Amino acid sequence: MRGRHRTTAKQIVDEDYSAYDFKDDIEYLYKTKKGLRESIVDEISKLKGEPEWMTRFRHRAYEHFVKRPLPTWGGDLSALDFENITYYAKPVERVGKSWEDVPEAIKKTFDRLGIPEAERKFLAGVGAQYESEVVYHSLRKELEEKGVIFMGTDSALKEYPEIFRKHFGTIVPPEDNKFAALNSAVWSGGSFVYIPEGVVVDQPLQAYFRINAENVGQFERTLIIAEPHSRVHYIEGCTAPVYASASLHAAVVEVIAKEGAHIRYTTLQNWSKDVYNLVTKRAHAHKDATVEWVDANTGSRLTMKYPSVYLMGPGARTDVLSVTFAGRGQHQDAGAKAIHLAPHTQSRIVSKSVSKDGGRTTYRGHLRVARGARNVVASVRCDALMLDAQSRSDTYPYIEIDEDDATVTHEATVGRIGDEQMFYLMSRGLTENEAVNMIVLGFLEMFTKELPMEYAVEFNRLIKLEMEGSVG
Amino acid sequence: MKRTLQIVDLHAGRDGKEILKGINLVINQGEVHAIMGPNGSGKSTLSNVVMGNPKYQIMSGDVRLDGESIAKLAPNKRAHRGLFLGMQYPVEVSGVKLGSFMKAAYNQVHGPDALDVAGFMELVEENTKLLNMDSAFAGRYVNEGFSGGEKKKAEILQMLVLKPAFAILDETDSGLDIDALKTVARAIDAYRGPDVGILLITHYQRLLRYIKPDFVHVLMGGKIVLTGGGDLAEKLEELGYGWLKDEKYAGAT
Amino acid sequence: MAGFDLGFAEDETVRELSSSRKEPAWFLADRLVSLANFKALRVEEHQLFTKYTDISRARVGGTEPYIQPAGPAKNSEKDLAGVSGVYSQEEDSLETLWLDPELEKKGVVFETLQNAVSRHQQQLRTLTFDHASLPESDKFAQMTKALCMAGVVLHVPDNVSVSKPILIRWSIGRENAALLTRTVVSLGNNSSAVVVEEIEPSKAAGGERMALFGGTAEVMLGEGSVLKYNGVENVGGGVATFLNRQASVGAGSEIRWAFAYVGGEMTRSHIDSFLSGRGATVREVQVLYGGKSQFFDIFSHTRHVAEDTVSDLLSKGVLQDQSKAYVKGLITIEKSGKGSDSYLGEFGMVLSRDSRFLSIPSLEIENHAVRRAKHASSVTQVDENQIFYMTSRGIEESEARKLIVMGFLDPVVARIPLESVADRLRGLFESKWKA
């Protein structure tokens, strides 16, 4: 009974991912040979017509990438073959300013993903990246007039060289880790966001990342700069079709919240289950600034991602909400880091994870109160829900305190759905499936309520589909 | 000679913000005063300032005991001179047993030779009974895991054991059910006497049904806007605080 | 991470130690394997903790081992009331070895490792090889196993209850001396015992150069048995201490670890508990109090191997001056550990800006059918509201601070099953506070 039920459910899930699982046969304008060597780094840089400092930056990164061993911790990277990946694939000549400028096949992709519709309804700006390049970018006119910049990172390097160079690579240096080095060597695309002093962007800016072809790596680079007392909410979503062999997504995200600025960064990561998602996300929060990471990972084969915040100025705050869902064959190794470097800073990390069908979730976090960071208040809460005996859940928190007046708490629980809870819901007439769904959605509620309504609906639908047949 | 607790034109507050804007009050031994007032009127500030909570600052004015200023004394020195504050939110102290805590305090207030261990245990036992508390209570850690009612009873227990000359009881009635309220009120009333001055701070009149105060003061906007006899409490119960604001005391806040 | 070299850790030393103790060939072979392990292993093999291990304070590479075995016990101790047995060693000299004759009649064995190796060869071999063998991935466990100079063996047969404590005392700290010791404890079925292990300064303690102490405990519990194992480490300033305690707990049995770490330049303690029988339980409390430039590195790994096993682990540390503590914990609920219940708590109180507290309370859960898997950790200081509350009742501020710090540790100290040990600890903590 159990087995049959699960097979059926698996089909439903697979069928449903079909909403994202379609591929376009498009002709790439340019594609590097598979594998990575120094000449490819040069090739990418030359093709983009970059200034010399960027070429040097890429080389410096490449050298580090070659030297740096793979991490021995985290997920299993043994099947990741750097030689079998295409590091750059160019689908279009230039970034479209309206959807009419985007080639029909690619536009269709984003239509099916509902991007233009969302843009019309409730977004302040949209960027869309397809393989290595940004294919579309728009920003509401009134924001443009206020000096807001929202464009592809490559365009920003050309159009705003000063702002760009001043901030790029300052938050995540290439030497930070192997995948940051890889990204820095071959980066292409990503979003560049600049919010001038005092400007409040009250509707979200959205970027959508799509990998289409097999074994193509995506290495976008996102840089967000919020000048003093400005405010922005940036949302990114990612999907890819299902292939037999792995693709690689290694992004670097740098976020700078200057004095009193407020940045929220929301990610809905739903890569297909053959993508290695190895991402470095880091923010600096200056005096009285707030940075919020809202980070959901339901897709990918392996995710290793620990959004971090360096609280650099007095009064800075951060809130990190991390949600992971690991099904069959998936390992979500996620978490957060809060590094308190200034007095009167606050951090709150909440992690919720669900594992089923042999999936594995890992919370890995680092909370550090450095010398000089007086009067810190920090809390971490991790809850893991395991739906069956095949699954696994780990919690690895590191808490390092170098001050004598910090208030730091950490709590974690791992558990399954309680029998009494099930009985209670079913006694009110719910089926077993409905009851489990309800409990899991309830478990994740504090995350969904942080999403704009349209995304919350989509996220809940996704979870429900992932949940199909988890009891039987 | 009767001892007195005197509050003289007291301006005080927290984090640089003035909350009390000129309070004058004299409490003599043998008297029971009640301070009533709406939320945010400064009642708890007053109790904290009189007891010397370092989080509060006196901007001007004075607090005097028997004519001598105690405004600069540490809280424990004020306790030595016979002051006691029953707190609205008693603090938990993990790992420290209530019994040994009270003994340490008793030795400080009355001297180490005032009572031997057996005598002290008797004193605790007797008052624990008076408050209808479990005798195992003294063996529990200070306020840790206590219910709201137990915390308030433990405050009164400490008052009865430490025998202060002046007791300020801040919202002692909140968190108590009706039976516990009666028990606590009876214990306070029993402690009342010619050598004790009591200041009851309360939002509602319900405690005052059981303990008839000699004086009732209404605190609003950081000032005492009205003083009367015991019957004033009933009037407030009936009419609330609004009429004070609306009519003749409109300027007070 | 720096390496760790020990000058005398050579084949030659091992052979000399073994031959002077007339050990059988298998025991020597076992030592040699451990020596090879010791040399091959890194200071920290566990990937989770490689960045959070520090042995730089252990400047003991040049220490000299006590090669010659201790002679027969002097048995000069007179006051043996209140205990069931005593093993007391001062540096390389065996002061007391005594067991209540009534227990001896019941078949309780309590003797030196050296004697046990020859007299109970087969049992000991089974015990230390098959059941309670020290972790092969732990460099310092292997160090002590390879080079142990003294040891004590306690065996309690089925259905025997040793009601009064068995006292094991190591007095150490002579300048530049190294003493490495092994303790083996086995309880049969439905037995019980209480062990108190004291590690304290010897009369010869002190000097410029550091001393090294390595101590292991290998514990095996049959079914339905209870062992309370209490340890107090209170050595003098210039000592580096490496402790490894390991237990294999059978069905329905319970190990109760209670350890306090007070002294020494640096103390590294690892506890490995295997809950291998159904319903096995570990209850563990650890307290540490660091002052001056002391460093403590304590790690506890509990593995729920069998169904319905229970772990309840609590650590608390107070740090003043420039002291530093790493408090690491790992609970693993294996696939076979259905119905397990585990709690891990790590709490620190930091009293000085120059001190440092690190905690890593980790969980690895491989079976969803757990009754509970929870951990908590916090770092606090003396709360000013508590100070006001206490001073408002007449207590001096300094006294209030002391009460709060002692109160922080007390819930753990109170769980130490021997009142005499708990009281002694309270005294130690208070004197440390005053200093």
Side-chain angles (χ1 to χ4, degrees):
Chain A
M1 176 66 198
R2 183 174 279 263
R4 189 176 58 80
H5 200 107
R6 183 159 293 129
T7 315
T8 322
K10 168 90 171 76
Q11 281 162 358
I12 297 171
V13 172
D14 286 351
E15 270 164 34
D16 189 72
Y17 194 80
S18 69
Y20 313 107
D21 182 20
F22 51 89
K23 23 206 147 205
D24 317 316
D25 289 319
I26 72 155
E27 289 286 319
Y28 292 96
L29 300 177
Y30 194 89
K31 213 169 154 179
T32 55
K33 284 210 185 79
K34 276 190 178 179
L36 185 59
R37 52 205 62 82
E38 200 147 17
S39 61
I40 289 195
V41 174
D42 271 328
E43 202 178 328
I44 294 171
S45 191
K46 198 173 290 168
L47 206 80
K48 289 175 176 287
E50 287 174 349
E52 202 201 323
W53 74 267
M54 183 55 77
T55 315
R56 280 203 309 271
F57 178 86
R58 288 180 184 273
H59 278 284
R60 166 183 150 200
Y62 175 77
E63 271 166 37
H64 188 77
F65 169 73
V66 174
K67 268 197 302 208
R68 187 82 176 244
L70 277 173
T72 52
W73 50 273
D76 179 8
L77 294 165
S78 58
L80 176 61
D81 182 1
F82 287 112
E83 285 307 299
N84 193 34
I85 285 165
T86 302
Y87 287 86
Y88 180 77
K90 181 179 184 172
V92 294
E93 194 52 58
R94 68 174 69 81
V95 182
K97 293 257 186 218
S98 85
W99 284 107
E100 274 66 53
D101 300 341
V102 178
E104 194 56 27
I106 295 174
K107 178 179 176 292
K108 247 194 210 153
T109 295
F110 290 106
D111 269 337
R112 288 175 75 171
L113 296 167
I115 308 302
E117 194 194 341
E119 178 182 4
R120 281 193 299 276
K121 277 195 198 148
F122 63 94
L123 294 172
V126 166
Q129 177 160 352
Y130 194 86
E131 315 293 18
S132 302
E133 292 293 352
V134 173
V135 296
Y136 172 78
H137 240 285
S138 78
L139 178 66
R140 293 225 161 133
K141 211 166 163 108
E142 65 269 26
L143 292 174
E144 217 166 284
E145 280 162 4
K146 283 182 185 165
V148 173
I149 305 169
F150 179 46
M151 58 172 53
T153 308
D154 292 278
S155 310
L157 172 59
K158 291 199 176 71
E159 294 180 34
Y160 297 95
E162 277 104 56
I163 308 179
F164 189 98
R165 192 170 178 180
K166 189 175 160 200
H167 298 97
F168 181 89
T170 57
I171 310 299
V172 180
E175 292 79 8
D176 192 78
N177 64 74
K178 188 169 180 81
F179 297 99
L182 175 63
N183 171 284
S184 303
V186 299
W187 76 269
S188 181
S191 303
F192 179 87
V193 179
Y194 178 84
I195 315 293
E197 183 160 353
V199 173
V200 173
V201 181
D202 43 21
Q203 284 176 308
L205 302 176
Q206 150 116 39
Y208 202 93
F209 295 92
R210 174 78 179 169
I211 298 177
N212 178 60
E214 188 172 9
N215 297 328
V216 165
Q218 196 169 64
F219 306 96
E220 89 275 8
R221 181 108 199 173
T222 289
L223 177 55
I224 299 181
I225 303 150
E227 292 291 346
H229 311 292
S230 65
R231 190 180 182 101
V232 67
H233 182 187
Y234 174 85
I235 302 181
E236 63 180 6
C238 357
T239 61
V242 180
Y243 287 103
S245 62
S247 296
L248 171 62
H249 174 245
V252 167
V253 175
E254 298 178 284
V255 169
I256 303 165
K258 298 191 183 170
E259 182 172 341
H262 188 291
I263 299 177
R264 171 176 282 205
Y265 193 116
T266 299
T267 303
L268 294 168
Q269 181 270 108
N270 189 29
W271 294 119
S272 57
K273 287 169 184 142
D274 47 13
V275 172
Y276 286 90
N277 184 44
L278 311 167
V279 173
T280 308
K281 286 187 165 167
R282 187 172 304 157
H284 281 189
H286 294 278
K287 185 168 186 281
D288 298 323
T290 300
V291 172
E292 298 169 338
W293 294 108
V294 179
D295 202 72
N297 294 286
T298 53
S300 85
R301 168 180 179 158
L302 168 67
T303 286
M304 286 172 68
K305 177 166 57 164
Y306 321 96
S308 50
V309 180
Y310 286 57
L311 299 142
M312 316 282 288
R317 304 170 57 117
T318 184
D319 246 300
V320 185
L321 195 49
S322 166
V323 165
T324 57
F325 193 109
R328 185 189 314 265
Q330 287 184 286
H331 182 186
Q332 306 284 10
D333 197 317
K337 294 181 194 174
I339 312 295
H340 293 261
L341 300 169
H344 302 286
T345 48
Q346 288 187 29
S347 68
R348 187 177 69 136
I349 297 169
V350 176
S351 158
K352 299 260 178 184
S353 75
V354 179
S355 55
K356 69 185 279 272
D357 294 335
R360 177 177 176 191
T361 58
T362 300
Y363 171 82
R364 202 182 292 275
H366 194 166
L367 181 63
R368 184 165 140 70
V369 177
R371 176 75 190 230
R374 306 287 288 163
N375 294 302
V376 165
V377 179
S379 71
V380 180
R381 158 135 216 122
C382 309
D383 293 314
L385 191 58
M386 296 170 73
L387 297 181
D388 53 53
Q390 287 73 50
S391 304
R392 169 172 178 170
S393 178
D394 312 312
T395 313
Y396 304 126
Y398 293 74
I399 303 155
E400 228 177 328
I401 311 297
D402 283 345
E403 271 293 351
D404 66 350
D405 62 356
T407 302
V408 176
T409 58
H410 171 96
E411 256 185 44
T413 58
V414 181
R416 58 173 163 170
I417 294 174
D419 297 339
E420 304 76 25
Q421 232 176 350
M422 285 296 288
F423 172 69
Y424 182 78
L425 292 178
M426 289 170 73
S427 78
R428 299 296 142 92
L430 270 69
T431 65
E432 197 175 350
N433 246 321
E434 285 169 335
V436 171
N437 273 346
M438 190 168 278
I439 290 165
V440 170
L441 291 178
F443 176 77
L444 300 176
E445 206 265 340
M446 78 171 298
F447 168 74
T448 18
K449 74 170 199 273
E450 293 300 323
L451 297 177
M453 207 250 291
E454 292 77 3
Y455 292 82
V457 171
E458 174 66 12
F459 182 78
N460 278 346
R461 195 181 65 87
L462 202 70
I463 294 296
K464 270 189 201 158
L465 285 156
E466 295 279 354
M467 288 296 304
E468 282 294 339
S470 40
V471 290
Chain B
M1 200 188 91
K2 285 276 179 218
R3 301 186 60 188
T4 56
L5 173 64
Q6 206 181 345
I7 297 162
V8 187
D9 192 25
L10 183 67
H11 292 252
R14 202 176 160 159
D15 303 325
K17 191 179 161 238
E18 186 178 296
I19 300 168
L20 301 180
K21 295 166 179 166
I23 303 271
N24 287 291
L25 190 63
V26 179
I27 301 170
N28 295 301
Q29 266 180 321
E31 295 172 357
V32 175
H33 292 242
I35 285 194
M36 301 183 71
N39 289 330
S41 56
K43 301 194 297 291
S44 283
T45 301
L46 180 62
S47 65
N48 276 292
V49 170
V50 172
M51 198 68 223
N53 188 336
K55 287 194 176 151
Y56 294 81
Q57 302 87 38
I58 292 180
M59 281 117 187
S60 66
D62 205 358
V63 180
R64 290 176 198 154
L65 204 54
D66 308 329
E68 195 184 322
S69 174
I70 57 167
K72 291 204 166 69
L73 290 184
N76 56 315
K77 300 291 182 214
R78 302 186 198 205
H80 295 173
R81 297 191 185 196
L83 218 53
F84 178 90
L85 169 61
M87 294 190 195
Q88 186 181 1
Y89 303 109
V91 179
E92 296 181 6
V93 190
S94 178
V96 176
K97 288 182 181 137
L98 181 60
S100 47
F101 172 57
M102 286 193 296
K103 182 76 175 91
Y106 189 89
N107 287 354
Q108 289 288 341
V109 173
H110 297 286
D113 306 320
L115 209 51
D116 61 11
V117 175
F120 182 77
M121 280 168 70
E122 207 174 295
L123 176 66
V124 172
E125 183 72 29
E126 176 189 310
N127 287 302
T128 310
K129 269 200 203 116
L130 184 69
L131 287 162
N132 279 338
M133 292 162 87
D134 193 324
S135 60
F137 219 76
R140 290 171 65 185
Y141 294 146
V142 176
N143 293 322
E144 194 177 69
F146 287 20
S147 71
E150 285 173 334
K151 281 185 180 166
K152 293 302 169 71
K153 281 190 172 181
E155 293 291 284
I156 300 305
L157 176 65
Q158 290 175 51
M159 177 188 79
L160 297 176
V161 167
L162 296 177
K163 300 189 194 305
F166 292 96
I168 304 161
L169 302 176
D170 191 356
E171 304 268 352
T172 297
D173 48 343
S174 65
L176 294 175
D177 63 31
I178 188 69
D179 288 335
L181 180 71
K182 278 187 200 164
T183 309
V184 164
R186 219 177 291 129
I188 297 171
D189 216 32
Y191 186 62
R192 189 175 184 170
D195 299 331
V196 181
I198 296 178
L199 177 60
L200 300 168
I201 294 179
T202 179
H203 182 84
Y204 300 105
Q205 191 245 345
R206 58 185 208 140
L207 185 67
L208 306 183
R209 275 189 217 138
Y210 305 96
I211 310 166
K212 291 286 169 220
D214 304 308
F215 304 95
V216 174
H217 313 274
V218 181
L219 183 65
M220 280 173 85
K223 284 185 176 171
I224 291 177
V225 296
L226 188 63
T227 294
D231 50 343
L232 179 56
E234 282 151 39
K235 190 170 177 189
L236 288 166
E237 174 85 348
E238 203 178 308
L239 300 174
Y241 296 102
W243 61 282
L244 288 165
K245 228 179 266 174
D246 296 343
E247 295 174 19
K248 97 191 220 213
Y249 303 97
T253 54
Chain C
M1 188 170 52
F4 179 82
D5 294 310
L6 193 57
F8 66 84
E10 294 301 336
D11 268 31
E12 197 185 316
T13 321
V14 168
R15 286 177 198 283
E16 216 181 322
L17 281 165
S18 190
S19 66
S20 62
R21 283 163 181 73
K22 301 186 179 59
E23 290 168 358
W26 65 269
F27 203 85
L28 171 62
D30 198 24
R31 280 180 182 267
L32 290 170
V33 168
S34 294
L35 183 70
N37 287 343
F38 167 70
K39 291 193 164 181
L41 288 166
R42 288 173 299 172
V43 165
E44 179 61 69
E45 288 288 333
H46 203 297
Q47 168 267 312
L48 281 178
F49 308 121
T50 43
K51 278 190 189 161
Y52 298 101
T53 296
D54 182 0
I55 46 106
S56 60
R57 305 275 180 82
R59 294 177 302 275
V60 291
T63 51
E64 285 170 20
Y66 288 123
I67 297 283
Q68 290 311 310
K74 294 178 192 157
N75 280 347
S76 53
E77 259 180 273
K78 292 288 175 277
D79 186 18
L80 299 173
V83 290
S84 290
V86 177
Y87 176 101
S88 173
Q89 175 161 345
E90 173 131 15
E91 301 294 348
D92 57 345
S93 147
L94 181 55
E95 298 296 313
T96 307
L97 175 57
W98 175 81
L99 177 70
D100 183 342
E102 288 301 313
L103 292 171
E104 212 168 336
K105 272 185 222 153
K106 288 181 183 167
V108 174
V109 174
F110 187 54
E111 60 185 324
T112 63
L113 178 65
Q114 198 186 330
N115 282 343
V117 165
S118 49
R119 277 175 38 195
H120 305 278
Q121 217 183 115
Q122 200 48 51
Q123 293 92 317
L124 200 67
R125 199 170 174 177
T126 313
L127 202 65
T128 54
F129 270 83
D130 301 342
H131 294 284
S133 67
L134 289 161
E136 282 178 4
S137 60
D138 189 309
K139 188 179 185 77
F140 298 99
Q142 295 298 314
M143 167 184 81
T144 300
K145 202 174 169 196
L147 295 154
C148 81
M149 297 141 197
V152 56
V153 175
L154 170 68
H155 172 70
V156 182
D158 293 355
N159 306 311
V160 173
S161 163
V162 180
S163 51
K164 286 188 268 181
I166 300 273
L167 177 65
I168 300 171
R169 184 187 297 132
W170 309 103
S171 305
I172 54 139
R174 175 183 287 151
E175 182 178 11
N176 209 38
L179 178 63
L180 305 175
T181 72
R182 264 175 99 174
T183 299
V184 179
V185 178
S186 78
L187 268 60
N189 301 327
N190 306 309
S191 325
S192 68
V194 181
V195 171
V196 176
E197 186 178 28
E198 297 177 341
I199 309 168
E200 53 178 42
S202 70
K203 291 186 199 83
E208 292 269 294
R209 288 172 297 170
M210 283 181 74
L212 166 66
F213 178 74
T216 63
E218 293 149 80
V219 172
M220 195 196 72
L221 304 183
E223 299 189 354
S225 292
V226 179
L227 175 68
K228 296 176 184 173
Y229 196 112
N230 308 277
V232 178
E233 177 276 298
N234 182 37
V235 298
V239 182
T241 303
F242 293 87
L243 302 168
N244 277 89
R245 274 104 170 201
Q246 158 151 339
S248 161
V249 187
S253 284
E254 182 169 330
I255 176 89
R256 291 185 158 211
W257 301 116
F259 295 118
Y261 312 98
V262 186
E265 175 80 20
M266 71 144 285
T267 301
R268 182 182 186 273
S269 160
H270 279 202
I271 302 170
D272 287 88
S273 304
F274 289 84
L275 301 172
S276 38
R278 185 172 186 146
T281 297
V282 53
R283 296 193 195 282
E284 176 184 302
V285 292
Q286 300 193 83
V287 277
L288 65 87
Y289 195 138
K292 300 208 179 85
S293 64
Q294 284 185 295
F295 175 57
F296 298 90
D297 180 342
I298 68 174
F299 174 47
S300 156
H301 189 181
T302 301
R303 294 167 183 88
H304 291 259
V305 182
E307 288 185 16
D308 301 324
T309 47
V310 177
S311 60
D312 186 0
L313 318 165
L314 179 62
S315 307
K316 282 200 170 186
V318 169
L319 300 172
Q320 62 190 30
D321 309 329
Q322 301 85 42
S323 62
K324 194 163 97 165
Y326 292 172
V327 178
K328 301 175 279 192
L330 179 57
I331 286 177
T332 305
I333 297 182
E334 298 188 1
K335 274 218 178 333
S336 49
K338 194 177 148 211
S340 293
D341 183 335
S342 71
Y343 173 81
L344 169 65
E346 296 176 353
F347 302 98
M349 185 179 262
V350 180
L351 302 179
S352 151
R353 293 191 67 190
D354 296 322
S355 54
R356 162 177 244 208
F357 184 80
L358 169 93
S359 92
I360 311 177
S362 322
L363 301 173
E364 288 176 341
I365 314 295
E366 295 178 34
N367 191 318
H368 82 306
V370 290
R371 201 166 300 140
R372 177 175 67 149
K374 188 174 163 62
H375 68 193
S377 173
S378 74
V379 180
T380 49
Q381 340 78 42
V382 175
D383 177 358
E384 293 310 311
N385 291 322
Q386 291 177 320
I387 295 288
F388 172 61
Y389 185 76
M390 297 178 89
T391 53
S392 85
R393 300 291 139 94
I395 292 170
E396 291 280 340
E397 186 179 328
S398 61
E399 179 68 12
R401 279 184 197 278
K402 188 186 94 179
L403 283 173
I404 290 166
V405 173
M406 297 302 137
F408 173 75
L409 293 171
D410 206 66
V412 186
V413 176
R415 276 171 63 176
I416 291 175
L418 274 182
E419 198 52 41
S420 55
V421 177
D423 282 343
R424 202 175 134 231
L425 264 180
R426 289 187 181 105
L428 282 176
F429 291 152
E430 283 206 22
S431 56
K432 199 142 183 175
W433 168 262
K434 279 181 197 129

